[in-house]
Amino acid sequence: MDTQKDNSKGQISMSFNNVRDIFVLERIEKLTSALYRITDFVSDDEALKWELRKRSSELLSRVFLEYKTHKDQESVLNEILYLTDTVISLCKVACFSENFSSMNFSLLRDEYGSLRAYLEMEKQAIVPRPLEVIKGLLAETTKPSLSLIDDPGR
């Protein structure tokens, strides 16, 4: 990921490696913004409000950090999946709380769940499945030579 100064706007723009990276980043940005807007209606005394904001912000900042450090894709996706699961879990708790709009948090939970499903598909695409690894190893094993089988003196 490269950082470039956009002189026309005076802002820093990030360039990610591929379309998937950009899609994930934009999706998390939108979800974090929506979570902040929805929690604006919740009392400042409600601890869950601050925990939701903290975790969604952590998810967003972690995406930047993880992509910037160029860790392997599986590690990046595992970290993002873990944080996404945390936000989903907190949204589930909020759905059952009287201080939160269950409809709004159900939508957030579903959208984070959709993001999680997409990330899980991406992970499956990059992580070899055990059966495929075994088939690959079997294909690479040496087969007995026909000369050894046909030679009766051996």
Side-chain angles (χ1 to χ4, degrees), residues 28 31-33 35-36 50-64 83 87 112:
I28 293 172
L31 286 169
T32 302
S33 296
L35 190 139
Y36 266 75
W50 302 111
E51 190 65 23
L52 277 160
R53 286 181 170 199
K54 175 183 167 188
R55 296 302 178 170
S56 67
S57 296
E58 183 180 355
L59 175 59
L60 180 59
S61 64
R62 193 58 61 107
V63 169
F64 277 108
L83 292 168
V87 174
Y112 274 103

Side-chain angles (χ1 to χ4, degrees), residues 10 12 14-15 17 42 50 63 66 78 89 105 129:
I12 294 176
M14 300 292 208
S15 61
N17 296 330
V42 177
W50 302 111
V63 169
E66 296 297 332
N78 283 336
S89 180
F105 283 95
R129 292 172 188 84

Side-chain angles (χ1 to χ4, degrees), residues 27-28 30-36 38-39 48-63 79-95 100 104-116 119:
R27 186 86 182 265
I28 293 172
K30 288 178 184 179
L31 286 169
T32 302
S33 296
L35 190 139
Y36 266 75
I38 291 171
T39 56
L48 187 55
K49 170 184 179 171
W50 302 111
E51 190 65 23
L52 277 160
R53 286 181 170 199
K54 175 183 167 188
R55 296 302 178 170
S56 67
S57 296
E58 183 180 355
L59 175 59
L60 180 59
S61 64
R62 193 58 61 107
V63 169
E79 181 69 22
I80 294 170
L81 283 166
Y82 169 76
L83 292 168
T84 303
D85 286 342
T86 303
V87 174
I88 290 169
S89 180
L90 292 169
C91 284
K92 287 178 183 178
V93 172
C95 285
F100 294 85
N104 286 338
F105 283 95
S106 291
L107 289 171
L108 275 176
R109 179 197 65 213
D110 294 346
E111 288 301 316
Y112 274 103
S114 175
L115 171 66
R116 190 199 189 295
L119 292 169

